[in-house]
Structures are given as C-alpha cells and as structure tokens.
C-alpha cells in the first residue's frame, strides 16, 4: 500500500456512514452498521496482501491456487471504540491474531494515557492493522503505533471510520510509513476534540453509554 491516505468512497460505505452519523440512529442499528462497514473497509485495507500459491486438487484436476503468504496478520484494537471495528474485521479474517491497547484521553490535555497493552507475538513478521473508528487529534493513534513499533512491528496500517485533516497530518508527521484507510476525511475538530460533522462519541454510540 503506497498511498498515505485512502478514503473509501464505495457507495455502500458512504450510505452506511450517513446512517451512522444520524443522531437518531439507535445503538443496535449503529453497532450493526459498524460491523457491516468494517467488513467493507477490511476488504480495502487488505487489498494488497502478499500472495503465494499452493497445490490443491479440485474435483477436476490439480492446480496451483492463490493463498495468503506469510504469518497470520495481527489486528490491534485501541480500546474501547476499536472493538466496534474489530468484529467486522474478524468476520472477514477469522484467523487473525488480536491485540489490545488501552488508552484513554485526558479530557483536559487531550493527551493519551495508557492503561492496558496485550499484543500477539512475532509482530515483526506480521502485517499489523491498527483499528480505531475516530482519527481525531491523532494523539492516541500515534501513541499506540509508537508502542507497536517499540514491540517490533514494522509493517503497520491504520484503519478508521472518520479522520480529520489534523489527525492525518499528526500521523503523517509521526509515522509517515503507516498508510491510513478511512471512510471519510471530515472537516475539522472542535475545541473539545470532537470530529465535526462526525458522529459524536463512537464508544458511547456503539455501547449505549453516555
Ligand atoms: N472520539 C470520538 O468518539 N468522537 C470524536 O468525535 C472524536 C474522538
């Protein structure tokens, strides 16, 4: 993947995203849409996975058939909202290894504070896809990727639902080697660090909290 930012403009992704942005969409529907949209985004973020071939017998003949090459990839969810994207990705890539990074955002400084980290082994040999629905300031994403690189990860992609120009710039500055795949590049951040037009607090909307 060579592009630093890929906005997935597929009509199904855009339609589902509009439904998710609507403040009257219920928690159950929001969660279902997130699962569906993350399957479509998973398709994009894995588009250029390396392939090899394996010899198989079809009912008709032998063939050298394409299969994914290398170690199982790793999905790393930034808690807690990342888990909403994780389910759809695992529908499509059920054998992926899964890691979690717990970061909360200090509401005053907007800086990430780490409270949990559990990662798969051999990160250096895997494609690592970091998932967080909202690339807002970029602070948590940059911190999570710092941590992954310190744990050996070399080939990292970042998948989100919404990104801001500020978040993309911050990521590009800190981790220019990490491509970002998103469903939308939104207008801006407000003074509380929320994405505008956005969809509100992704964690609250998917888990029904406030
Ligand atoms: N996190 C969210 O859940 N929503 C935003 O708008 C920004 C960060």
């Amino acid at each position: 993947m060579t592009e630093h930012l890929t906005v997935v403009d597929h009509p199904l992704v855009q339609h589902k995203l509009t439904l998710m942005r609507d403040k009257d969409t219920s928690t159950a529907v929001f969660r279902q849409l997130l699962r569906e949209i993350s399957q479509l985004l998973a398709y994009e973020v894995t588009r250029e996975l390396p392939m090899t071939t394996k010899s198989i017998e079809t009912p008709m003949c032998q063939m050298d058939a394409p299969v994914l090459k290398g170690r199982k990839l790793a999905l790393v969810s930034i808690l807690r909202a990342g888990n909403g994207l994780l389910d759809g990705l695992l529908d499509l890539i059920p054998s992926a290894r899964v890691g979690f990074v717990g970061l909360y955002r200090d509401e005053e400084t907007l800086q990430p504070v780490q409270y949990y980290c559990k990662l798969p082994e051999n990160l250096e040999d895997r494609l690592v896809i970091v998932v967080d629905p909202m690339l807002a300031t970029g602070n948590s994403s940059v911190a999570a990727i710092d941590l992954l690189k310190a744990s050996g990860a070399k080939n990292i992609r970042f998948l989100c639902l919404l990104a801001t120009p500020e978040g993309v710039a911050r990521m590009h500055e800190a981790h220019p080697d990490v491509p970002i795949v998103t469903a939308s590049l939104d207008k801006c951040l407000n003074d509380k660090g929320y994405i505008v037009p956005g969809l509100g607090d992704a964690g609250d909307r998917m888990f029904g909290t406030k």
Side-chain angles (χ1 to χ4, degrees):
M1 188 164 265
T2 48
E3 288 292 312
H4 184 251
L5 178 70
T6 302
V7 179
V8 182
D9 59 359
H10 192 285
L12 288 177
V13 170
Q14 294 305 315
H15 182 81
K16 289 176 196 295
L17 180 57
T18 297
L19 297 175
M20 291 180 74
R21 288 185 192 272
D22 189 329
K23 66 178 176 45
D24 294 326
T25 296
S26 70
T27 299
V29 173
F30 186 93
R31 202 181 291 148
Q32 178 59 30
L33 287 164
L34 183 56
R35 189 173 194 128
E36 293 167 4
I37 227 173
S38 48
Q39 292 172 355
L40 297 165
L41 295 175
Y43 182 81
E44 285 297 329
V45 79
T46 54
R47 184 178 277 283
E48 291 159 32
L49 287 185
M51 303 291 294
T52 184
T53 56
K54 135 182 192 189
S55 174
I56 59 165
E57 294 277 339
T58 77
M60 310 305 292
C61 65
Q62 181 276 336
M63 79 174 280
D64 293 323
V67 285
L68 295 173
K69 186 177 172 184
R71 275 197 194 268
K72 304 268 184 294
L73 56 80
L75 306 174
V76 175
S77 167
I78 303 183
L79 297 174
R80 70 183 161 147
N83 284 13
L85 281 177
L86 193 58
D87 292 340
L89 285 173
L90 283 171
D91 287 342
L92 230 63
I93 321 165
S95 60
R97 303 307 189 234
V98 181
F100 297 93
V101 175
L103 296 166
Y104 69 85
R105 189 163 61 152
D106 184 298
E107 291 300 328
E108 302 232 310
T109 63
L110 302 185
Q111 291 305 310
V113 184
Q114 185 193 320
Y115 64 89
Y116 186 76
C117 181
K118 185 82 181 167
L119 298 172
E121 292 186 324
N122 306 116
L123 280 187
E124 58 281 2
D125 300 330
R126 303 181 191 277
L127 169 65
V128 179
I129 301 176
V130 181
V131 296
D132 187 351
M134 312 299 264
L135 177 57
T137 59
N139 290 337
S140 340
S141 322
V142 166
I145 293 169
D146 285 344
L147 208 129
L148 290 167
K149 286 187 173 172
S151 305
K154 293 190 182 80
N155 185 8
I156 304 174
R157 294 177 193 176
F158 184 83
L159 179 64
C160 59
L161 197 54
L162 302 185
T164 58
E166 296 90 329
V168 170
R170 172 99 175 85
M171 278 278 282
H172 190 45
E173 182 187 68
H175 298 295
D177 57 313
V178 176
I180 299 167
V181 175
T182 186
S184 174
L185 182 61
D186 271 19
K187 197 154 154 257
C188 60
L189 277 178
N190 71 10
D191 59 0
K192 294 205 164 60
Y194 279 87
I195 299 178
V196 182
L199 48 73
D201 186 297
D204 283 347
R205 294 214 52 200
M206 75 183 70
F207 297 120
T209 48
K210 250 280 169 256

